[in-house]
Amino acid sequence: MVNGRNKGAAWERTVAKMLFDELGVEFSRDLRQYQKSDLGDLICDDPTWPFVLELKRYAAGYTYQQSWWDQVVKAADAARKEPVLIYKFDHRPIFVVMRLAFITQDETYENERAILTWSGFIQVARETWSDPHRFNQ
């Protein structure tokens, strides 16, 4: 468990730095996540950040698990924000899962998910922040 926790913490720090490099905003690990459920892994220092982030890093695998998505949806619902699952397996690129309805702004796709590349997610994040009407908290 300790090695898994250390690996998870290192992954969280890596993603926080990548987000800062891409978006210019600080993220920190939410250490309360170990004591309380329904929390994401990273906290943005900008309160207008519209997403709850759940991060997963594993040695082997191909795609995300439903339980990971369920976890971030529960945390996002509690925070009244959008769920975002960021995952990576060794020797594979980073992938990001989001609600397709959020990306397309079409509630027809409410129960559908999109798997984005890292750069695709960064583009969605930038567009979301640039349009104050796109996301209503």
Side-chain angles (χ1 to χ4, degrees), residues 14-27 42 49 53 55 86 118 121-122 125:
T14 297
V15 172
K17 182 179 179 334
M18 291 171 64
L19 287 166
F20 177 79
D21 291 346
E22 293 282 357
L23 302 172
V25 65
E26 293 282 344
F27 288 82
L42 295 176
W49 176 252
L53 305 176
L55 284 61
I86 301 171
W118 176 255
F121 167 66
I122 294 301

Side-chain angles (χ1 to χ4, degrees), residues 12 19 48 52 69 90 96 100 103 105 110 121-122 126:
E12 290 168 6
L19 287 166
T48 66
V52 169
W69 179 249
D90 288 356
V96 180
L100 185 57
I103 296 168
Q105 295 296 286
E110 179 61 33
F121 167 66
I122 294 301
R126 284 186 181 130

Side-chain angles (χ1 to χ4, degrees), residues 31-83:
L31 300 178
R32 299 172 304 156
Q33 67 183 299
Y34 297 113
Q35 291 104 20
K36 185 176 183 274
S37 62
D38 301 341
L39 295 174
D41 290 328
L42 295 176
I43 300 171
C44 183
D45 71 350
D46 183 338
T48 66
W49 176 252
F51 307 111
V52 169
L53 305 176
E54 181 65 34
L55 284 61
K56 299 293 183 183
R57 178 77 169 83
Y58 286 91
Y62 178 71
T63 191
Y64 69 96
Q65 296 177 16
Q66 180 65 41
S67 62
W68 302 349
W69 179 249
D70 294 343
Q71 182 181 2
V72 73
V73 166
K74 189 174 180 185
D77 286 350
R80 303 179 83 170
K81 295 189 177 216
E82 276 295 311

Side-chain angles (χ1 to χ4, degrees), residues 50-51 82 98-105 124 128 134-135:
F51 307 111
E82 276 295 311
M98 297 183 71
R99 288 185 324 112
L100 185 57
F102 180 80
I103 296 168
T104 63
Q105 295 296 286
V124 169
T128 299
R134 181 172 166 98
F135 185 79

